[in-house]
Amino acid sequence: MFRWYREIGPAERRTFWSCLGGWSLDALDVQMFSLAIPALIATFGLSRTDAGLIGAVTLVEAALGGWIGGVLADRIGRVRALQITVLWFAVSTFLAAFSQTFAQLLVLKAVQGLGFGAEWAAGAVLMAEAIRPAHRGRALGAVQSGWALGWGAALLLSTAAFSALGPEAAWRVLFACGLAPALLVLVIRRTVPEPPRPREAVPARTGPLAIFSPAMRRATVTGTLLGLGAHGGFHALFTWLPTYLSAEREASVLGTGLYLAIIIASFGLGCLVAGGLVDRLGRRRTVALYAAGCMGLVVLYLLVPVSGTALLLLGAPLGFCTAGIPASLAALFSELFPTGLRGTGMGFCYNAGRLASALLPLGVGLLSEILGLGPAIGLSALSAYGLVLLAVALLPDAPSPPLTPETIR
């Protein structure tokens, strides 16, 4: 699983560790919100729909930020774009700790979303170009496992904060810890080289809309559908899962932490395994395999009445399978677009899917008032993972065409 790491050079390793750190700290900032939802509801007197609206607005802005981040990476370079985006989401998360009203929190979470989406686009295209093709899937899968590291750190901080402090103070402390990623900018600036790019990779007239040219249109549309299904399934499940475990399954703070710890650990393992499968089985087959597994496990976890012990045990395969799709996307998307459009294309597909999926946290909140929270999460996630299977079937078989004036017209 890790032999590839011994075969890459020093510059590739520094790039890998910087991107892994960025993605881990990105996850730390983002996942703190889902863990803080019950406290936010109590502090500001929110309904579930209000809480879902915060999640939805954050994802909408993340989608816009991802496209901007991809364009920025194509224009000013991968490394400089990564520095800017990491600093952006770190400072905005910190400022959210001082929110005094629901409106202030909503605005600051929207600002955070811009940086969150842009950071993935800049980091993913940097990794895709810095790591040699033979190891690209494994390296990108390993970076995606950083989401589990950040998620786990958020869970540990949340458990400690809510055990030691009152709910209102605890969520503020959590968000204040979001400033930590700003330190990573110094590391990136000193150690990460810009990957070499062909002189002809960025034609003068290349712009954000070039990914909609006839030669690129199918890749862009199917990539967007794939991003929608991947994000929709993840956010439908994990935005509301801590609330489901505490409110519907009556788990304590420590009990909820145990359920989530199993899911998070399995998520990290699923990312690492997916990276290997992507290089061995191919991008499409790997994504389809994980999507089918997600659908079966969502039914068992949320739609079939099971005991607390069974729910605990099912968390391991659920976390494992939900990891495989996002862990495969960067490798898949990087090969859909030529070099000069890679940042723009990857940023758009990954984050346009996030934009459309932003309705799912809000939709789960609304649907839960009718069906209950478990069925609302389950049905939303099933719809999203079904869309992943459809998108895989529609993906183009051929690699991306070379970047020429005809490609971008």
Side-chain angles (χ1 to χ4, degrees):
M1 187 180 295
F2 298 104
R3 185 175 61 188
W4 63 270
Y5 184 78
R6 297 193 295 271
E7 297 176 1
I8 62 177
E12 291 172 294
R13 292 182 182 182
R14 291 196 298 271
T15 301
F16 166 75
W17 285 111
S18 295
C19 291
L20 177 66
W23 194 230
S24 300
L25 293 169
D26 205 344
L28 170 70
D29 285 8
V30 171
Q31 291 301 126
M32 285 190 298
F33 169 69
S34 64
L35 295 165
I37 285 178
L40 294 172
I41 288 174
T43 299
F44 295 111
L46 307 181
S47 66
R48 287 179 179 172
T49 302
D50 292 330
L53 178 63
I54 296 175
V57 168
T58 303
L59 292 177
V60 168
E61 294 302 314
L64 178 61
W67 195 7
I68 293 172
V71 174
L72 198 65
D74 283 339
R75 293 301 178 91
I76 69 171
R78 306 348 186 175
V79 176
R80 287 179 63 194
L82 184 61
Q83 293 177 54
I84 292 169
T85 56
V86 168
L87 190 62
W88 183 286
F89 79 73
V91 172
S92 57
T93 303
F94 174 75
L95 293 176
F98 301 96
S99 301
Q100 298 300 312
T101 65
F102 170 64
Q104 290 176 5
L105 180 63
L106 188 66
V107 170
L108 287 168
K109 288 293 292 178
V111 173
Q112 182 208 40
L114 282 171
F116 165 53
E119 190 274 337
W120 184 92
V125 71
L126 172 61
M127 279 288 295
E129 293 180 351
I131 303 295
R132 61 196 69 182
H135 301 315
R136 186 176 294 149
R138 292 176 179 85
L140 286 166
V143 165
Q144 189 71 35
S145 72
W147 188 268
L149 297 177
W151 193 1
L155 178 60
L156 291 174
L157 285 172
S158 172
T159 302
F162 283 105
S163 298
L165 304 170
E168 182 170 354
W171 72 262
R172 294 184 188 278
V173 169
L174 282 179
F175 285 4
C177 292
L179 190 61
L183 299 175
L184 183 66
V185 173
L186 298 176
V187 177
I188 295 170
R189 183 175 182 179
R190 290 177 178 272
T191 64
V192 180
E194 182 71 21
R197 302 170 70 190
R199 191 173 292 231
E200 67 275 12
V202 189
R205 299 198 170 192
T206 298
L209 300 181
I211 58 173
F212 300 105
S213 65
M216 294 283 96
R217 193 172 298 148
R218 182 177 175 184
T220 301
V221 171
T222 53
T224 300
L225 290 176
L226 184 56
L228 168 57
H231 285 300
F234 183 87
H235 291 294
L237 276 170
F238 295 119
T239 298
W240 286 104
L241 194 60
T243 305
Y244 168 75
L245 291 171
S246 61
E248 302 286 325
R249 303 307 297 246
E250 299 181 347
S252 64
V253 171
L254 291 177
T256 299
L258 178 60
Y259 281 103
L260 293 176
I262 291 174
I263 291 174
I264 292 168
S266 302
F267 185 94
L269 179 61
C271 288
L272 294 174
V273 173
L277 290 177
V278 159
D279 286 336
R280 288 177 178 271
L281 299 181
R283 286 43 167 157
R284 296 172 61 177
R285 192 178 300 175
T286 299
V287 171
L289 184 65
Y290 273 97
C294 285
M295 295 180 76
L297 286 162
V298 163
V299 171
L300 292 175
Y301 198 87
L302 292 163
L303 301 180
V304 175
V306 294
S307 67
T309 302
L311 199 68
L312 192 67
L313 295 175
L314 283 170
L318 179 67
F320 183 89
C321 285
T322 53
I325 302 171
S328 306
L329 290 185
L332 194 156
F333 287 162
S334 71
E335 294 165 4
L336 287 180
F337 299 95
T339 304
L341 294 177
R342 187 167 291 133
T344 305
M346 291 176 68
F348 180 84
C349 290
Y350 192 85
N351 291 286
R354 180 180 279 153
L355 173 62
S357 72
L359 296 176
L360 280 174
L362 179 59
V364 169
L366 292 169
L367 197 59
S368 68
E369 305 291 342
I370 303 171
L371 301 178
L373 192 54
I377 297 172
L379 291 174
S380 299
L382 281 176
S383 300
Y385 289 126
L387 186 59
V388 169
L389 291 176
L390 174 63
V392 168
L394 296 175
L395 282 171
D397 294 316
S400 62
L403 190 58
T404 64
E406 288 73 24
T407 302
I408 60 175
R409 276 181 192 147

